[in-house]
Amino acid sequence: VESQMGGIDVCAAYYEDPSNTILSHYAAYCANEQPAPYTAYSYMAYYSSCASGVVCSRFGDVMNSSSYTYDNTWSVYPVQGEYSLRPVSGSLCRPGFYCAGFGQRAACPPGFMCPAPGMNKPLACAQDWSYNTTCAQSRLLAPVPCPLGAICSTPGTPP
């Protein structure tokens, strides 16, 4: 409970003084996570039987039907391109990851790249016939230069 409230306090302090060097480390967290105020409903959802990747409805909340896929229970799944780490919210999939559905996020695998937010499948790296780039790492946004002295013959194979 205190950690969630602490996140809200840290972001509020950061927005008051973005030049604060200590708080500036939280800029990405505050911009991407946007901590929500803590309520009794969020407490119950966090400690309920809500499965990972599922956004559990909160007693009487009306959820936007275009943003979620409903099943025949009280649970909803974020749409493709979104995931859920918390049982009461969905988040847009970040670059370097893809979200194929059912609220699960996966790292972009070797041989692929995930350059844009909200991707529901990774993009295959094209063959570089100059052998100067590789996609042998996971979570890539774009092919990376081949290490000096190495030949990168296949996009997903280490040099």
Side-chain angles (χ1 to χ4, degrees), residues 116-136:
M119 294 190 68
N120 63 7
K121 62 183 177 182
L123 299 173
C125 289
Q127 177 67 50
D128 177 6
W129 295 108
S130 68
Y131 306 116
N132 290 327
T133 62
T134 181
C135 286

Side-chain angles (χ1 to χ4, degrees), residues 6 34 56 59-61 63 65-66 74-76 93 96 111 122-123 142 152:
Q34 300 167 353
C56 292
F59 305 106
D61 281 3
M63 301 186 113
S65 61
S66 65
W74 287 97
S75 302
V76 292
C93 209
L123 299 173
C152 297

Side-chain angles (χ1 to χ4, degrees), residues 3-4 7-8 11 15 25-37 46 83-94 97 105:
S3 66
Q4 186 172 5
I8 293 169
C11 290
Y15 289 130
H25 297 289
Y26 296 97
Y29 168 77
C30 293
N32 294 322
E33 296 300 323
Q34 300 167 353
Y46 270 84
Y83 69 101
S84 174
L85 292 177
R86 301 178 185 168
V88 293
S89 65
S91 299
L92 188 64
C93 209
R94 295 183 183 156
F97 296 88
R105 176 178 72 169

